[in-house]
Amino acid sequence: MVVKTNTKTFEEALYMTGFGRFNCLMMLVNISVILAMAFEVVSVAYLVPASACELKTTNAQQGLMAGIPLMGIIATSHFWGYLADTRGRRKILIVCMSLGFLAGSLSALSPNWIMFSVLKFLSSCAVSGTYALALTLLSECTPHHKRSIMVALTSTIYLTSTGIMAVLTIPVLHLDMAYPIPYLNIDFIPWRLLTLVFAFPCAFAALALYFAFESPRFLLRIGEEEKALNIIKSIFSINSGKSGDDFNVDSLILGEDAGKFVKGMWASLAAQTIPLLKPPLLKNTLLLGVLFTIIYFALNSVLVWLPFIADAMMKSIEKGDNNLTICDMIRRVQNTPIEDVNQDCALNEFGMISVFIISVMIATFNVVLSTLINKMGRKRLLVCVQSLSLCLGSGLLYVNQSKLITPLSRLDFVMIHLRKHKCIDFQRRRGR
């Protein structure tokens, strides 16, 4: 009988693997997942106005199309979280990315706005939980002393995704192409190509995840100690360049109270959900639910319509309408005679550059505010960001000078987006 004498907790063993090439590769994998999720969910912000000419959608129909991804996220995010906790983070992420790519790609062939909405709903359902799952996988493969930095860097990349998408729209939507597809009675024009461009990162992320490791912490929690130890040894080997046999650990223990692992779908789902609806977690669950509802209500509306707003503002300014409020600018563009409308529905280049600048500002503010969390406190910082966003958003409605409208709209969107991420951080501290 072999006696295992060198036993380490999971965190101790993970610390012993060091920090190096594996962790950088793992961060790149997670960045690809997060960008794929953002591209698929936020793509409606660019595809809805770009497809309006061909699909002949009304303002009401465009609003419904733009809100579809949020409905998908609300409908299935908890379901994917449950599957990840019972079937594995990596496996579920691969399934999510594959389904997202399939539904997102098929939406490029939509003959009407209804089919487009259905497919976008399915793609958003598929990728709805991937942001949290990707960060979880990254955290459970990163030593504790480097974990916060890696998560912060990955979150910053996510904040630039809308800007990257805006830049991609400039060359794609200005292509002169139209290939008829007789069986569907449609023409394959630039906005359909842009749909494929936005869906492609899901395929790339699924491929990257195929070569990645499962979370060793998850394997240890479900009793797969040998598999977890083998992954830990592989991480050590990749980081140090040494053989896994040189890793001086014989066995692993979780070293924390993670709760009892429950088998069975409904029993497991109840075990994870019911404690959130009972004291002492009920108060925090309700509080955070209200906060997230308010923040996402503001964030999603601005995020989805930002390219449309930026496009309308720039077109209005180009026509010399400099002394209008932002609402008047949008009305002026909407009421433009049909013969004066650009029939290819290509979004204004300067408007998309403006969206890119906003994304860079968001990422920069996220880094700056992340350094202030420990000094100001999470709750105080969240209150300050929300208050500033309220003031900027209210002032935006009454300013009628284009030179003031543009910076105010940028700052307001920055503060709204940052409220979401500080609330997520606040939840992490209060809800566990």
Side-chain angles (χ1 to χ4, degrees):
M1 178 179 177
V2 178
V3 180
K4 296 181 179 180
T5 57
N6 196 359
T7 301
K8 299 289 185 181
T9 66
F10 170 74
E11 290 293 348
E12 290 173 340
L14 194 60
Y15 179 81
M16 291 172 62
T17 62
F19 184 86
R21 182 168 51 184
F22 168 81
N23 303 100
C24 294
L25 292 173
M26 199 65 197
M27 186 177 76
L28 291 177
V29 171
N30 279 265
I31 287 175
S32 69
V33 173
I34 290 174
L35 285 180
M37 180 276 296
F39 273 36
E40 192 55 40
V41 171
V42 185
S43 62
V44 292
Y46 303 91
L47 297 176
V48 169
S51 64
C53 292
E54 184 188 14
L55 300 183
K56 296 179 175 57
T57 50
T58 64
N59 289 338
Q61 291 168 346
Q62 291 178 33
L64 181 60
M65 293 166 67
I68 283 294
L70 183 60
M71 296 169 60
I73 292 174
I74 295 173
T76 58
S77 57
H78 184 70
F79 174 72
W80 291 121
Y82 154 75
L83 289 180
D85 284 341
T86 55
R87 302 294 186 269
R89 288 79 160 97
R90 171 181 166 272
K91 182 186 298 184
I92 297 304
L93 280 171
I94 292 176
V95 172
C96 289
M97 290 292 100
S98 301
L99 293 177
F101 173 70
L102 179 62
S105 299
L106 289 177
S107 66
L109 302 177
S110 302
N112 53 59
W113 72 273
I114 296 177
M115 183 59 66
F116 178 87
S117 299
V118 170
L119 290 171
K120 278 300 177 182
F121 175 77
L122 294 177
S123 68
S124 63
C125 285
V127 303
S128 61
T130 52
Y131 181 81
L133 296 186
L135 291 184
T136 300
L137 180 61
L138 178 65
S139 298
E140 294 178 347
C141 294
T142 305
H144 184 269
H145 67 293
K146 295 289 187 180
R147 195 168 295 160
S148 297
I149 297 175
M150 297 290 280
V151 171
L153 289 175
T154 307
S155 299
T156 300
I157 294 297
Y158 167 75
L159 295 175
T160 64
S161 60
T162 53
I164 298 173
M165 296 174 70
V167 172
L168 289 175
T169 63
I170 296 175
V172 175
L173 290 182
H174 286 83
L175 291 174
D176 185 12
M177 56 176 287
Y179 301 104
I181 303 179
Y183 295 105
L184 298 177
N185 196 27
I186 62 174
D187 291 330
F188 193 83
I189 57 178
W191 78 265
R192 298 184 184 276
L193 176 62
L194 186 63
T195 304
L196 292 178
V197 171
F198 288 156
F200 176 76
C202 287
F204 180 83
L207 181 63
L209 286 163
Y210 178 80
F211 295 101
F213 292 140
E214 179 57 270
S215 163
R217 183 185 180 279
F218 167 77
L219 293 173
L220 188 60
R221 181 172 178 266
I222 64 173
E224 299 285 353
E225 179 189 346
E226 184 177 352
K227 291 182 180 179
L229 184 57
N230 288 336
I231 290 178
I232 291 288
K233 289 181 177 181
S234 298
I235 295 174
F236 168 78
S237 180
I238 295 173
N239 281 340
S240 65
K242 301 178 182 179
S243 171
D245 296 332
D246 296 331
F247 190 68
N248 191 26
V249 175
D250 295 323
S251 64
L252 294 174
I253 58 174
L254 194 56
E256 60 183 84
D257 183 13
K260 184 179 179 181
F261 183 75
V262 180
K263 293 185 178 180
M265 177 176 176
W266 297 111
S268 177
L269 188 61
Q272 295 185 39
T273 305
I274 292 177
L276 297 175
L277 304 177
K278 297 168 60 178
L281 297 179
L282 177 59
K283 178 181 177 181
N284 287 342
T285 300
L286 294 176
L287 175 62
L288 293 170
V290 172
L291 286 175
F292 268 97
T293 300
I294 295 172
I295 290 174
Y296 271 91
F297 182 81
L299 170 66
N300 191 68
S301 59
V302 177
L303 178 65
V304 169
W305 292 106
L306 180 62
F308 174 83
I309 294 172
D311 177 67
M313 287 176 59
M314 291 302 173
K315 288 178 179 178
S316 180
I317 292 173
E318 287 178 354
K319 294 179 180 180
D321 300 328
N322 295 325
N323 296 320
L324 301 178
T325 65
I326 185 172
C327 295
D328 291 334
M329 286 183 170
I330 295 174
R331 291 192 190 99
R332 183 66 61 89
V333 173
Q334 285 291 292
N335 294 330
T336 301
I338 190 64
E339 60 269 13
D340 295 335
V341 176
N342 187 1
Q343 291 301 305
D344 63 3
C345 280
L347 300 175
N348 184 275
E349 292 184 22
F350 292 103
M352 296 305 98
I353 293 174
S354 177
V355 174
F356 174 75
I357 294 174
I358 291 173
S359 298
V360 173
M361 291 174 62
I362 293 171
T364 303
F365 270 89
N366 183 64
V367 173
V368 172
L369 291 183
S370 295
T371 62
L372 298 177
I373 289 179
N374 292 332
K375 296 182 179 179
M376 293 185 61
R378 291 165 173 79
K379 180 178 179 180
R380 185 179 300 174
L381 184 59
L382 180 61
V383 171
C384 291
V385 169
Q386 286 190 342
S387 300
L388 184 56
S389 179
L390 172 63
C391 295
L392 292 172
S394 301
L396 185 63
L397 298 175
Y398 301 100
V399 176
N400 61 357
Q401 296 291 330
S402 61
K403 292 182 180 180
L404 293 178
I405 287 175
T406 301
L408 272 177
S409 61
R410 291 172 181 170
L411 283 174
D412 180 51
F413 181 71
V414 165
M415 302 316 296
I416 289 175
H417 210 128
L418 287 173
R419 285 191 305 177
K420 168 193 169 184
H421 287 273
K422 299 314 161 191
C423 188
I424 291 175
D425 192 42
F426 186 55
Q427 179 196 35
R428 190 180 296 116
R429 301 287 294 183
R430 291 287 301 276
R432 292 178 180 250

